[in-house]
Amino acid sequence: MPVTKRIQPGQRVAVAFSAAEKRLVLERTLADPEYMDRLRPRTDGSGFVGEFTLGDLDDILGYLAAEANHTENERLQQRLDKLSDRLQAIMESYDDGGWQKAP
């Protein structure tokens, strides 16, 4: 079982997005643009980073899944699924006591 980092409920964690991932969320999902407004350029110029609660990540994942399930464009679906898998892994690497299943 993967090790999770314990955080406080509502605590935000840093999540990096590439420019393409940011555009994907903004242009292809119905996610609140406020999520992507949190992103700031990384100091090394390799994309963006923002802070999100686990609930925020879960919300973004729902929008990604909805779009992936309704698109007929296979390439778009693959891009959405790839981002979704990455964000899911990040979310599951933290434990705020609010969503993880009991053993």
Side-chain angles (χ1 to χ4, degrees):
M1 177 174 225
V3 176
T4 58
K5 181 178 179 184
R6 181 77 174 145
I7 61 174
Q8 296 298 313
Q11 182 177 339
R12 291 183 178 193
V13 296
V15 179
F17 284 79
S18 69
E21 290 170 336
K22 179 181 177 182
R23 272 192 316 276
L24 184 65
V25 173
L26 284 171
E27 295 174 3
R28 297 297 188 153
T29 74
L30 297 175
D32 188 333
E34 184 270 333
Y35 289 131
M36 297 299 102
D37 289 346
R38 294 183 195 174
L39 298 178
R40 299 293 173 246
R42 294 180 67 154
T43 57
D44 64 4
S46 66
F48 301 89
V49 67
E51 293 193 347
F52 302 89
T53 66
L54 299 185
D56 295 337
L57 292 176
D58 190 48
D59 195 34
I60 294 168
L61 285 167
Y63 287 110
L64 291 169
E67 183 61 30
N69 289 334
H70 290 96
T71 187
E72 294 182 13
N73 181 324
E74 190 174 323
R75 173 121 167 83
L76 175 59
Q77 182 181 7
Q78 290 172 348
R79 291 173 53 215
L80 292 161
D81 288 343
K82 183 177 177 181
L83 177 56
S84 181
D85 290 346
R86 188 174 72 77
L87 294 179
Q88 183 75 36
I90 291 169
M91 189 174 84
E92 290 177 357
S93 71
Y94 293 94
D95 177 4
D96 68 357
W99 63 272
Q100 292 76 4
K101 295 179 182 174

